[in-house]
Amino acid sequence: MPASAVMPAGGHFFDAIIRQDPVDDARLDPADNTEEFTLVDGAELRHYGELARRLWSETDRALFCSFGGLTFGDIALVPGVGLKRPRGIRDIEEWYVSTATRPAYIQAVFERQAEVALQNLERLYAAIGDRAAVIQTNGTDFGTQNGPFCSPATYREVYLPYQQRVNEWIHAHTPWKTFMHCCGGIEPLLELIVEAGFDILNPVQCSARGMDPAGLKRRFGSRLVFWGGGVDTQKTLPFGTPEEVRDEVRRRIETFAPGGGFVFSSIHNVQAMTPIENLLAMFDVVAEYR
């Protein structure tokens, strides 16, 4: 199998290698972009069920479930790095362009994906039951540093119906809360994100345009749980002083925590080479408030 990803020199993450023939619109088939979304087999479901039962009996912590095939348009999945010969629209740029130029095709892909996702959700719930507290149903990033990458109208037309269908099934049939991971300045989309049925927002990128912590808490604190926002992983945590980290963590806790609806977490993953002194400063302040 040819390589499907490469780690750049000096990097810490793999980049997908785009493996796509020129797109022929006359021959595009939504099935090509959904070949990896299949019904989960019995052996895998039994594994999830046993894992959930074991963790349920061994810990007093809530169980967080992340299950493949529930998130629509996640750009990490589009290139098909796990496929031998990905078909359909697999170039990242072409996929984003298609949101505007081929919305009907994207919707057809999501329709097929949603049909499988709902069947898998029913099977998953039968396997793990009420043991899970939270399930991630979105990993698609709709935001850039300066705002959304698509308009609210495009989000409503292309993405919301399928997210809503998945979230509504979960709310109707399970006690699970739905978790949305979405980076960037997505403030213009937040009303629609609530409408789509998401209970939890992560990572709450406060450094992006429109993502002022006090404003988010005031406008959405009664409708969304903020899971993240605790400290900036672009600047403060990797490059600030321990005291700057402490100050920011305190401010974020005091902004997001009142009245509940806040799960402390750094904004996205802690990056390589982050000073250990800064991590300890973050943990110290969290321990104070806990």
Side-chain angles (χ1 to χ4, degrees):
M1 175 176 172
S4 60
V6 61
M7 182 178 290
H12 299 280
F13 304 97
F14 284 95
D15 292 335
I17 296 174
I18 302 304
R19 299 168 295 147
Q20 176 185 291
D21 297 328
V23 175
D24 180 353
D25 282 275
R27 301 180 64 182
L28 274 178
D29 183 351
D32 290 341
N33 268 102
T34 55
E35 65 173 300
E36 61 267 56
F37 302 117
T38 58
L39 292 178
V40 64
D41 63 33
E44 188 172 353
L45 286 171
R46 287 191 293 274
H47 168 72
Y48 291 140
E50 179 55 34
L51 184 62
R53 282 188 289 274
R54 179 169 58 81
L55 292 173
W56 182 260
S57 65
E58 294 177 357
T59 180
D60 60 353
R61 308 297 175 89
L63 300 185
F64 181 106
C65 180
S66 181
F67 189 71
L70 303 184
T71 184
F72 299 95
D74 189 337
I75 209 62
L77 304 179
V78 167
V81 293
L83 300 175
K84 289 185 177 181
R85 191 172 185 275
R87 298 172 298 170
I89 299 174
R90 299 293 181 168
D91 180 277
I92 292 172
E93 181 178 355
E94 191 69 44
W95 177 268
Y96 278 130
V97 169
S98 297
T99 303
T101 61
R102 304 181 183 96
Y105 177 81
I106 302 297
Q107 289 170 307
V109 169
F110 290 168
E111 185 67 35
R112 295 173 67 97
Q113 184 182 343
E115 291 174 3
V116 175
L118 292 176
Q119 294 179 67
N120 278 335
L121 278 171
E122 187 171 1
R123 295 175 177 211
L124 182 64
Y125 183 62
I128 69 175
D130 295 349
R131 296 180 181 90
V134 176
I135 184 167
Q136 181 171 342
T137 57
N138 183 79
T140 306
D141 288 326
F142 291 99
T144 70
Q145 198 74 32
N146 296 311
F149 81 77
C150 69
S151 68
T154 296
Y155 178 86
R156 175 181 287 282
E157 177 187 2
V158 178
Y159 295 92
L160 185 149
Y162 309 100
Q163 295 173 335
Q164 193 172 56
R165 193 182 306 176
V166 166
N167 289 338
E168 285 183 350
W169 189 96
I170 291 168
H171 290 140
H173 297 90
T174 83
W176 305 340
K177 300 300 182 183
T178 54
F179 177 102
M180 179 184 215
H181 170 87
C182 185
C183 297
I186 56 171
E187 182 274 333
L189 303 179
L190 286 178
E191 289 288 352
L192 296 174
I193 286 168
V194 172
E195 183 180 333
F198 290 101
D199 301 307
I200 301 163
L201 179 66
N202 163 271
V204 196
Q205 190 180 336
C206 302
S207 61
R209 178 180 293 176
M211 300 295 285
D212 170 64
L216 293 177
K217 180 69 174 181
R218 182 179 63 255
R219 294 174 57 205
F220 298 99
S222 64
R223 293 180 286 168
L224 286 171
V225 168
F226 297 107
W227 187 311
V231 65
D232 182 12
T233 50
Q234 289 179 300
K235 296 180 181 178
T236 310
L237 193 61
F239 302 118
T241 66
E243 192 55 40
E244 287 171 335
V245 171
R246 291 188 188 95
D247 289 343
E248 185 165 296
V249 172
R250 288 192 182 98
R251 290 197 306 272
R252 297 294 170 76
I253 293 175
E254 291 173 0
T255 297
F256 283 121
F262 178 52
V263 178
F264 181 89
S265 177
S266 63
I267 298 176
H268 221 291
N269 300 337
V270 175
Q271 300 299 302
M273 311 307 290
T274 297
I276 189 66
E277 295 83 2
N278 288 3
L279 290 174
L280 293 174
M282 177 184 72
F283 289 130
D284 286 345
V285 176
V286 172
E288 289 175 17
Y289 282 86
R290 180 177 292 155

